[in-house]
């Protein structure tokens, strides 16, 4: 990636992070950290390992594309079709798992700091990976990973509905709510499976052609890049249709990450509730993440995450102070790893 783009991502993320930090009550933050003690260090360190799950899922997807990497690159223009000068397409450069791990952390940091989430981290991942494996493969791998990441969320929420029914007393209200969430998750899973089978890049641009503010751009983009979009969709469909084990493995890694990340809530609750139940922590995480993702347009999901924690702990019979304490430390962990991810952008070698 060119240095000017790295600096652009870094400066943008840093400015947003600075705004997020100014929203904190520093006295409350210090009291929370001192109260948590070494458990807060455990929460921060936990994500060093959880990001390995995310990186491994993306790594599996990229490696699954290698069987198709020997095919000649699709030209971006008539000139390229004649002289074969498609820059970045079809080239493959060696890169390590640790390099991809660094890009993964930086991508999530930009997603945390960007309204709408995918407007920051995913372009950065594509631009960082394109010089290594070509634009089409990089775009396809990032789209596949995003789809897998979101797909695993719906499975996590669906399984959490089953867990709630099996472990908690079910009122009429909660029964109705669980049924609505489960139906929503099943519908989303069906939609994603269709997207995996047919690809989603071309159909997504076609959908944009019907939106008032994007249709002119979408029509021009589709006309100019129809072949590239078809290649990306072919690679997306190949993961599901030709590599089912790879597909299941990538989804399994992401789902395992969701379940393991409940350890964060478990560690925090141990400070104030030595009898904390890990299954309850999974339910808290599931409800909080579902509520926060409904407010995806807010940077760092400010307010949504805290509200989700308060409602979820209240629904499980815990005190509001427990929800506030958990939300505070989780917010601090997010800010720390966002800062780490932004700093890692500056440590990438110039290509």
């Amino acid at each position: 990636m060119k240095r000017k783009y790295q600096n652009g991502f870094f400066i943008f993320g840093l400015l947003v992070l600075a705004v997020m930090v100014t929203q904190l009550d520093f006295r409350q933050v210090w009291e929370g950290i001192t109260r948590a003690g070494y458990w807060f260090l455990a929460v921060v360190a936990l994500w060093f390992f959880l990001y390995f799950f995310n990186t491994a899922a993306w790594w599996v997807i990229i490696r699954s594309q290698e069987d198709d990497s020997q095919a000649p690159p699709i030209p971006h223009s008539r000139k390229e079709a004649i002289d074969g000068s498609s820059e970045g397409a079809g080239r493959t450069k060696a890169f390590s798992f640790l390099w991809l791990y660094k890009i993964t952390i930086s991508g999530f940091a930009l997603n945390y700091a960007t309204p709408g989430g995918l407007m920051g981290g995913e372009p950065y991942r594509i631009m960082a990976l394109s010089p290594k494996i070509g634009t089409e493969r990089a775009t396809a791998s990032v789209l596949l990973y995003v789809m897998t990441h979101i797909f695993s969320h719906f499975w996590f929420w669906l399984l959490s509905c089953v867990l709630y029914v099996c472990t908690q007393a079910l009122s009429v209200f909660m029964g109705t709510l669980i049924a609505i969430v489960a139906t929503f998750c099943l519908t989303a899973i069906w939609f994603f499976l269709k997207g995996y089978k047919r690809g989603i890049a071309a159909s997504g641009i076609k959908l944009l052609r019907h939106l008032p503010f994007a249709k002119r751009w979408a029509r021009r983009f589709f006309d100019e890049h129809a072949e590239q979009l078809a290649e990306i969709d072919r690679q997306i469909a190949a993961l599901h249709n030709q590599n089912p084990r790879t597909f299941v493995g990538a989804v399994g890694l992401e789902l395992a990450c969701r379940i393991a990340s409940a350890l964060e809530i478990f560690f925090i609750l141990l400070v104030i509730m030595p009898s904390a139940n890990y299954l309850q922590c999974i339910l808290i995480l599931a409800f909080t993440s579902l509520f926060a993702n409904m407010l995806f347009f807010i940077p760092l999901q400010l307010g949504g995450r805290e509200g989700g924690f308060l409602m979820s702990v209240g629904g499980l019979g815990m005190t509001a102070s427990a929800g506030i304490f958990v939300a505070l430390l989780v917010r601090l962990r997010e800010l720390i790893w966002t800062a780490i991810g932004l700093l890692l952008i500056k440590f990438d070698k110039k290509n």
Side-chain angles (χ1 to χ4, degrees), residues 36-223:
Y38 62 84
W39 281 114
F40 179 67
L41 297 178
V43 166
V44 176
L46 173 67
W47 281 87
F48 174 82
F49 300 100
L50 291 178
Y51 281 126
F52 275 98
F53 283 92
N54 301 127
T55 307
W58 191 17
W59 177 271
V60 165
I61 290 170
I62 293 172
R63 292 308 177 196
S64 72
Q65 298 173 313
E66 289 185 344
D67 293 338
D68 300 323
S69 63
Q70 301 304 320
I74 294 176
H76 290 255
S77 66
R78 184 178 178 183
K79 177 181 180 295
E80 293 168 354
I82 295 173
D83 60 19
S85 61
S86 179
E87 181 181 356
R91 294 187 304 177
T92 300
K93 294 183 179 179
F95 60 91
S96 66
F97 182 87
L98 290 179
W99 178 85
L100 197 68
Y101 177 76
K102 181 182 75 67
I103 298 300
T104 299
I105 295 175
S106 297
F108 276 115
L110 289 167
N111 280 345
Y112 282 133
T114 307
L118 303 182
M119 292 189 293
E122 278 32 79
Y124 171 78
R125 294 185 195 212
I126 293 172
M127 294 175 71
L129 191 58
S130 290
K132 307 290 186 181
I133 62 175
T135 304
E136 281 79 21
R137 283 185 62 199
T139 304
S141 72
V142 171
L143 284 176
L144 277 166
Y145 176 72
V146 172
M147 290 173 65
T148 302
H149 184 73
I150 300 174
F151 188 63
S152 68
H153 269 81
F154 288 114
W155 275 108
F156 178 62
W157 295 328
L158 181 62
L159 293 175
S160 296
C161 290
V162 177
L163 179 62
Y164 188 94
V165 172
C166 295
T167 61
Q168 305 296 318
L170 205 61
S171 64
V172 174
F173 172 76
M174 285 304 301
T176 304
L177 182 61
I178 291 295
I180 293 173
V181 173
T183 302
F184 169 70
C185 290
L186 286 171
T187 304
I189 289 171
W190 172 82
F191 174 80
F192 269 85
L193 286 174
K194 290 195 67 175
Y196 274 115
K197 291 180 180 179
R198 301 179 182 179
I200 200 171
S203 58
I205 297 298
K206 288 180 180 178
L207 180 63
L208 290 177
R209 292 191 300 180
H210 300 286
L211 299 181
F213 298 103
K215 59 183 179 181
R216 292 182 63 184
W217 171 86
R219 287 172 182 171
R220 185 174 62 253
F221 185 88
F222 184 83
D223 292 339

